[in-house]
Amino acid sequence: MSFSETISKRISFLRTERGLTLEEVGSQMEQITGKPYPRNKVWSYENNKLKVPAELIPVFAKIFDITTDELFYESGQLEKTGRFEGSLAEYRKLVESNPEKALEKATEIVQTAQAENIHLREQLTLCLQENEKYKKENAELKKFITDFNKFLRNAEKLVPKEND
């Protein structure tokens, strides 16, 4: 199943779970973005007839009061990946019932995010280094092609034509 299918199914599921109509979701989208979203466009997103544009991911997350990750994965999948520790609604309940535990959990999440951030920065550095390597190789290749084309043009001048 592709991400677009997952998002479409999640939007449909969340809308019906919350008892919202297509018009209501479209109206909320318009309030957030300032652009009109008629019911048929929302239906098209839900049924994967139109891919959900990236800029609408946070809009849907806001409408359904979830994180953007929750549009890509069901909560069970999120917990399995270790990348998400529950929904915002669950966390808000924890804050109200046990602020110390919520702080502890938030600290763990921040530490995990910081470690992941360091890892991602390292990956970015490696990617940038690779990119520079490929740029140099590309420049060398362009020079080679240019030189080779000059050689071919000069060689064509040296080869006698059949009519000569």
Side-chain angles (χ1 to χ4, degrees):
M1 181 181 307
S2 71
F3 277 125
S4 63
E5 291 171 324
T6 302
I7 293 170
S8 294
K9 288 180 180 182
R10 295 288 294 148
I11 291 169
S12 178
F13 171 79
L14 292 165
R15 180 185 62 77
T16 53
E17 180 186 60
R18 284 159 174 75
L20 298 170
T21 65
L22 293 167
E23 291 86 1
E24 289 169 330
V25 171
S27 174
Q28 288 183 39
M29 291 171 71
E30 184 173 354
Q31 288 174 355
I32 295 168
T33 66
K35 298 177 186 173
Y37 288 92
R39 73 181 304 281
N40 63 330
K41 192 147 199 173
V42 177
W43 180 90
S44 295
Y45 290 142
E46 281 189 8
N47 290 281
N48 205 26
K49 302 296 180 194
L50 286 175
K51 289 188 178 186
V52 177
E55 63 269 10
L56 288 181
I57 299 297
V59 172
F60 282 114
K62 182 174 179 138
I63 290 169
F64 300 128
D65 192 29
I66 58 172
T67 66
T68 54
D69 285 348
E70 289 175 286
L71 278 174
F72 294 95
Y73 305 100
E74 295 178 16
S75 59
Q77 291 172 309
L78 288 168
E79 290 167 7
K80 289 178 192 169
T81 65
R83 303 188 87 203
F84 184 75
E85 299 294 329
S87 70
L88 287 176
E90 291 169 349
Y91 188 74
R92 287 180 185 141
K93 289 176 188 173
L94 183 60
V95 167
E96 292 170 4
S97 65
N98 190 344
E100 293 82 16
K101 181 72 175 170
L103 178 60
E104 184 181 307
K105 190 172 184 177
T107 302
E108 290 172 14
I109 291 170
V110 168
Q111 289 170 343
T112 302
Q114 287 172 332
E116 189 171 330
N117 189 11
I118 289 167
H119 175 72
L120 290 171
R121 285 176 188 253
E122 291 168 353
Q123 293 295 315
L124 176 61
T125 300
L126 291 173
C127 288
L128 291 173
Q129 290 169 350
E130 286 285 314
N131 191 32
E132 285 305 311
K133 179 180 136 188
Y134 292 130
K135 280 183 182 178
K136 288 177 185 175
E137 288 177 5
N138 190 29
E140 290 171 6
L141 229 111
K142 283 182 179 178
K143 183 180 178 338
F144 172 78
I145 290 170
T146 301
D147 291 346
F148 189 72
N149 282 333
K150 285 180 187 176
F151 171 78
L152 288 176
R153 282 193 297 275
N154 288 334
E156 286 175 353
K157 293 177 187 175
L158 298 173
V159 176
K161 296 189 178 171
E162 290 184 26
N163 293 342
D164 290 341

